[in-house]
Amino acid sequence: MVFILLCVKLEEMENVESVSLPPGAHFVLDVKNSVGEDVREGVVIDPAEQHDLDGSRGTANFVLKWDRSAKHQAYLNVEAVKGVTRNISGEDANQFVPIMGFECRGLEPIAYKPDVFIVRSKGGQTFEADLSEGEWADFDEKLGESVSIMGVSAEFRTHKR
């Protein structure tokens, strides 16, 4: 089984203290067959969902069969890694930060489509920021200044546990 970290880079942050995943966040990924060329785009992974694995007592957050006649299922589990995955701080601008981990078998994530994140400004105000377009801006009343994130990118890194 392979364990893969989702690492996100926010290129520019203005008046941002931290950026985190909201409670119950789901992940929109493109996944590839780890032994073939098949790709599924826009797959929604919900960590709250549990699917039984065929011929096993185990469960997974996402399960698929690449071929209807295939004996084996490909699956993915979402898992935070203590001491590795974390929130993004204001000082992390233009650096990849591991925000979540995925335990994968028979598939590998190849693209991530960012969604809503929780942004805390340097003035202490909290915002729901939709980063699906790659940028976001708002105004912090307490601080009296704008708060923004420009440029979002992601990469996947293999992690040994």
Side-chain angles (χ1 to χ4, degrees), residues 17-37:
E17 183 177 302
S18 67
V19 179
S20 59
L21 292 166
H26 61 274
F27 300 87
V28 180
L29 307 173
D30 293 350
V31 296
K32 178 186 176 300
N33 185 338
S34 58
V35 295
E37 296 300 316

Side-chain angles (χ1 to χ4, degrees), residues 2-7 95-98 155-159:
V2 177
F3 200 82
I4 297 175
L5 296 174
L6 167 61
C7 301
Q95 298 176 47
F96 281 102
V97 175
E155 70 178 23
F156 295 96
R157 296 179 183 163
T158 303
H159 177 70

Side-chain angles (χ1 to χ4, degrees), residues 114-127:
D115 198 14
V116 174
F117 283 79
I118 304 299
V119 175
R120 184 174 177 84
S121 72
K122 289 185 176 176
Q125 191 169 342
T126 302
F127 302 89

Side-chain angles (χ1 to χ4, degrees), residues 65-157:
K65 282 190 177 183
W66 290 106
D67 181 345
R68 292 187 194 279
S69 64
K71 290 182 183 178
H72 302 288
Q73 294 174 308
Y75 64 86
L76 180 147
N77 277 307
V78 178
E79 189 179 321
V81 182
K82 190 174 182 177
V84 177
T85 55
R86 63 181 178 85
N87 294 336
I88 301 168
S89 75
E91 287 75 45
D92 289 324
N94 215 25
Q95 298 176 47
F96 281 102
V97 175
I99 62 168
M100 189 56 68
F102 302 112
E103 175 188 41
C104 304
R105 181 175 200 134
L107 61 81
E108 58 187 73
I110 56 172
Y112 167 66
K113 295 168 180 41
D115 198 14
V116 174
F117 283 79
I118 304 299
V119 175
R120 184 174 177 84
S121 72
K122 289 185 176 176
Q125 191 169 342
T126 302
F127 302 89
E128 275 194 11
D130 182 352
L131 296 178
S132 61
E133 298 297 320
E135 59 184 43
W136 166 86
D138 209 323
F139 190 78
D140 184 331
E141 300 289 335
K142 293 179 190 174
L143 197 59
E145 293 190 30
S146 66
V147 180
S148 66
I149 295 172
M150 301 296 164
V152 179
S153 55
E155 70 178 23
F156 295 96
R157 296 179 183 163

